[in-house]
Amino acid sequence: MSDQPLISSLVIGATGLLGRATMRQLEKTNSSTLVQPARVNWRVTQQAELDLVRETVTWLPSTDADQLEAYWCAGRATPRSSNEANAEERHFFETFLDALRRVLTPAQAQRLTIFFASSAGGIYGDTRHEVASEQSSPNPADSYGASKLHLESTLIK
């Protein structure tokens, strides 16, 4: 029996570049981590919504892990994306958070960590040759950066 806490990790966007790398790292770092890729059909908006809810509401009740980790590694929007594409990405993330809120018990909330892959370049925009840090004021240069900043702010609520 291991002295390490049991960790249950849900990786959303597990088939993308960052998601695959996250999965590999989680699986090799800690033998007490149960890594579950969220299976989401991103090509059809309504199906993606249903899949995000299903994956979230089946993950939490099925685990009694000491720690819970949700990794948001999903997203197709880029700095050149339309406002509609940015809005769709925000909608997917908010769908995931709403599903979490519905099934998350107070005890699980104390054990949950959410990793949100964002875009520092989009959020901080033009720093005028200065290095951006956590203390820097956000300065989105376009709707993509503003959208990412909005998504980050939803985690603070």
Side-chain angles (χ1 to χ4, degrees):
M1 183 162 178
S2 173
D3 289 340
Q4 294 179 321
L6 180 61
I7 302 169
S8 180
S9 300
L10 178 67
V11 181
I12 300 101
T15 59
L17 183 65
L18 179 61
R20 283 192 314 265
T22 299
M23 293 276 299
R24 282 192 306 270
Q25 189 63 34
L26 288 170
E27 288 169 342
K28 81 176 190 182
T29 301
N30 185 342
S31 62
S32 297
T33 300
L34 306 170
V35 184
Q36 177 179 329
R39 303 203 191 299
V40 180
N41 178 354
W42 298 104
R43 291 182 184 92
V44 181
T45 299
Q46 290 178 319
Q47 187 61 52
E49 293 166 354
L50 293 170
D51 291 346
L52 282 167
V53 170
R54 182 198 68 241
E55 292 292 317
T56 304
V57 302
T58 58
W59 169 58
L60 284 171
S62 69
T63 183
D64 61 350
D66 302 306
Q67 291 174 237
L68 303 168
E69 300 173 343
Y71 291 82
W72 184 268
C73 301
R76 292 184 304 207
T78 70
R80 294 189 178 147
S81 291
S82 67
N83 289 337
E84 292 79 21
N86 287 316
E88 182 179 60
E89 189 167 305
R90 287 191 307 273
H91 174 72
F92 286 145
F93 187 64
E94 290 165 358
T95 297
F96 162 69
L97 290 180
D98 288 343
L100 261 180
R101 287 183 191 106
R102 281 198 305 257
V103 296
L104 192 64
T105 67
Q108 288 174 324
Q110 296 294 317
R111 302 187 324 257
L112 175 65
T113 300
I114 298 175
F115 169 85
F116 175 68
S118 189
S119 174
I123 291 172
Y124 292 104
D126 185 7
T127 59
R128 297 204 177 9
H129 307 294
E130 295 177 25
V131 175
S133 73
E134 290 82 8
Q135 288 77 38
S136 301
S137 295
N139 184 25
D142 53 28
S143 63
Y144 170 76
S147 183
K148 291 294 186 178
L149 188 58
H150 171 80
L151 290 174
E152 283 191 10
S153 73
T154 61
L155 288 170
I156 297 170
K157 296 177 185 177

